[in-house]
Amino acid sequence: MRKKLFHYMLSGILFTSILGTLSHFLYEWSGGNLYVGFFAPVNESVWEHMKLLFFPMLLYFTFEKLMSVHYPVSRYCCNAIAVLTGSFLIPVLFYTYTGILGRHLAPLDIAIFYISVFMAFLLRFRLSVSGKKISKTHCLWLTALTLLIFLCFLIFTYRPPDIGLFRIPA
């Protein structure tokens, strides 16, 4: 089972990295399509860049579930933890390094995406092989939080709050 989960981790990293990279340009390629904007970044804000990981990772997990005969309930919790952790690592790492340097650098911004993808899948792998149980209550909260973030992406794409996370970095 560990070997199978390791292969899922590697294929997930590859899938999410490729689709996330392509989705960075998808909105522009679509001519600014309203519906594409819900799932692909519409600008260079940190919030919009969280979509690069969030949606490709959810798509990968959905595909993985559809391809599996047996998909343990505990994996849903691990998936939620991974997608939330990876998504939130992006602003944490971005604001940490820009706070230290006083500016942002495109190569570091790109590296943050790949580091976040890697760390999210590594966390999922570690949680999956650890055998630790996650309570149903925690699973429900994690699922609810994932759905809330999903809805926030849809709402805040075209109606962002006026705070730094939603502004394009200078």
Side-chain angles (χ1 to χ4, degrees):
M1 180 56 127
R2 187 179 177 95
K3 188 175 180 179
K4 186 176 184 179
L5 288 170
F6 184 77
H7 287 290
Y8 282 152
M9 180 183 78
L10 293 179
S11 60
I13 289 169
L14 185 63
F15 178 87
T16 304
S17 295
I18 291 171
L19 188 56
T21 300
L22 290 174
S23 71
H24 186 273
F25 307 101
L26 195 57
Y27 183 72
E28 185 179 330
W29 292 343
S30 74
N33 183 288
L34 174 79
Y35 300 108
V36 170
F38 287 126
F39 304 101
V42 299
N43 62 43
E44 293 296 320
S45 72
V46 176
W47 172 259
E48 288 294 311
H49 278 74
M50 291 167 64
K51 291 179 184 179
L52 298 176
L53 183 143
F54 188 87
F55 289 110
M57 203 168 190
L58 282 182
L59 185 62
Y60 176 78
F61 291 150
T62 302
F63 178 73
E64 183 185 272
K65 161 64 174 111
L66 294 173
M67 298 304 292
S68 297
V69 175
H70 175 68
Y71 202 78
V73 174
S74 62
R75 186 128 355 118
Y76 292 106
C77 297
C78 295
N79 292 350
I81 291 168
V83 76
L84 292 169
T85 300
S87 297
F88 290 121
L89 264 177
I90 291 171
V92 167
L93 294 174
F94 177 81
Y95 288 116
T96 299
Y97 99 78
T98 56
I100 294 168
L101 297 181
R103 63 190 177 107
H104 80 94
L105 302 169
L108 289 178
D109 296 346
I110 294 166
I112 284 173
F113 167 68
Y114 295 113
I115 290 166
S116 298
V117 170
F118 176 78
M119 294 304 292
F121 276 99
L122 180 62
L123 176 62
R124 178 187 180 234
F125 173 76
R126 300 285 301 223
L127 288 171
S128 296
V129 299
S130 74
K132 292 182 182 175
K133 298 276 186 191
I134 301 172
S135 74
K136 288 183 182 180
T137 304
H138 285 108
C139 283
L140 287 173
W141 278 108
L142 289 165
T143 302
L145 183 56
T146 304
L147 289 172
L148 177 64
I149 299 300
F150 183 96
L151 289 173
C152 286
F153 277 126
L154 300 181
I155 295 166
F156 296 154
T157 292
Y158 297 109
R159 296 200 182 272
D162 189 22
I163 59 174
L165 182 65
F166 298 90
R167 292 187 198 117
I168 299 169

